[in-house]
Amino acid sequence: MAEQLSKRVTLIEAFYDLVFVYMISRATALIHQLTDGVVKPTTFLIFTFVVIVFINSWMVQTVFTNRYGSSSWSDMFYAFVDMAIVLYMSNSFSGSLTYDLHPFFIAAGLLSATLLAQYLGVRLKTAAQIDQQIATVFIYILLIRTCTLLIAGFIPEPIGIPLALVGIISSWIAPSFTGKYTKHHPIIFSHLVERLSLLTIIMFGETIVAIAGYFTKQTLSIGSVMVFAVVVALFFTYIAEFDHLINNQRRGETGNLLIYLHYPIIFGSV
């Protein structure tokens, strides 16, 4: 199979990313609720869980688009359906101290189901054996996540939350073991770098919005300058690594390492 070296990031993909940035801004409300000046461990765990669900969904969708996306009508249909689901998910959890995660689990299960349907479509349409194998592996991964999340959405939370955790953690870790298949149909490295960079830069934009309160007549101080300097330093560190030092034309990459490296980066920019 001839390896494709370049692929343009479409406006649909950029539009899709904006919904996930909105989600991140909503998720941060969870850790703005302080008890005696600190974030409760339960609150932080729910925040971590919510963000991992969203980022993992974005990563799986991005890798699918990288390998098999073609800007077809079906691809656009799935993109808009996913955006609607993510918007609902973003508003299905509360920043209060009382949580009902059932709507979130159901919506997350439906989001996984759309990704499952896309891989199922590849499995049924492709004649290439390696693509059938890749699709089959991700079908199993997404089937587990879809079933566990949907079931968790309809059963009591003391049982549903651990079940949902099993589905999410397994689908988060499992792609790292798919290299024996995905290395035979490598990702388009430049496209993945661009998608991840655009998402991260938009996240930095959200960070700028978050620190804007330090730059008013009442709050402006040396501390404001220091906070801004830290954000700028983080931004320049990122672009130095991923815009100047990285080789965007690398070949034979599965993308797994690049993806997992971005989890702490995105968490750090929240």
Side-chain angles (χ1 to χ4, degrees):
M1 177 183 295
E3 183 177 347
Q4 187 176 347
L5 296 180
S6 64
K7 188 175 189 177
R8 184 174 65 91
V9 173
T10 66
L11 293 179
I12 295 294
E13 292 173 85
F15 189 38
Y16 180 82
D17 291 349
L18 293 177
V19 179
F20 278 85
V21 173
Y22 170 72
M23 175 280 304
I24 293 291
S25 68
R26 289 285 299 153
T28 54
L30 292 170
I31 54 175
H32 288 168
Q33 299 294 322
L34 303 180
T35 302
D36 297 327
V38 298
V39 179
K40 291 178 62 177
T42 303
T43 302
F44 186 77
L45 287 174
I46 292 177
F47 164 77
T48 302
F49 175 77
V50 167
V51 173
I52 286 177
V53 171
F54 279 108
I55 297 176
N56 181 249
S57 299
W58 185 90
M59 295 295 186
V60 174
Q61 180 64 64
T62 297
V63 170
F64 175 88
T65 302
N66 186 288
R67 282 198 177 93
Y68 305 115
S70 59
S71 297
S72 64
W73 284 108
S74 63
D75 286 350
M76 287 189 282
F77 170 77
Y78 279 116
F80 291 135
V81 169
D82 287 350
M83 289 170 68
I85 294 173
V86 171
L87 283 174
Y88 176 77
M89 289 173 65
S90 302
N91 295 294
S92 64
F93 51 83
S94 171
S96 66
L97 297 179
T98 302
Y99 307 102
D100 178 13
L101 293 175
H102 287 105
F104 178 80
F105 289 154
I106 294 171
L110 293 175
L111 184 61
S112 294
T114 65
L115 295 169
L116 173 62
Q118 288 177 279
Y119 272 106
L120 184 59
V122 171
R123 179 65 179 82
L124 295 175
K125 291 187 295 184
T126 187
Q129 183 180 8
I130 188 59
D131 289 322
Q132 290 180 351
Q133 292 173 331
I134 292 173
T136 300
V137 168
F138 277 96
I139 285 170
Y140 284 129
I141 293 172
L142 291 167
L143 183 61
I144 292 172
R145 187 171 78 170
T146 299
C147 291
T148 54
L149 286 169
L150 289 178
I151 293 171
F154 291 99
I155 62 177
E157 286 192 352
I159 302 174
I161 291 178
L163 180 63
L165 283 173
V166 169
I168 291 301
I169 293 174
S170 62
S171 66
W172 181 28
I173 297 174
S176 64
F177 297 99
T178 62
K180 66 178 181 179
Y181 301 113
T182 56
K183 68 181 180 181
H184 297 293
H185 184 165
I187 53 96
I188 304 169
F189 195 72
S190 60
H191 177 269
L192 183 60
V193 170
E194 186 176 1
R195 286 294 305 277
L196 287 167
S197 298
L198 288 174
L199 181 66
T200 305
I201 289 172
I202 296 173
M203 293 298 304
F204 272 110
E206 288 295 313
T207 304
I208 292 295
V209 172
I211 68 172
Y214 289 96
F215 291 85
T216 67
K217 289 182 179 180
Q218 294 75 26
T219 61
L220 185 63
S221 65
I222 186 64
S224 305
V225 176
M226 293 177 66
V227 168
F228 183 71
V230 169
V231 174
V232 170
L234 290 172
F235 175 74
F236 270 102
T237 300
Y238 181 83
I239 64 172
E241 176 65 32
F242 291 97
D243 192 41
H244 297 288
L245 299 180
I246 197 168
N247 177 14
N248 288 346
Q249 301 304 316
R250 293 171 64 170
R251 307 181 65 169
E253 293 286 336
T254 65
N256 289 336
L257 178 59
L258 185 65
I259 286 171
Y260 285 111
L261 283 174
H262 272 77
Y263 276 94
I265 292 172
I266 294 174
F267 265 102
S269 62
V270 172

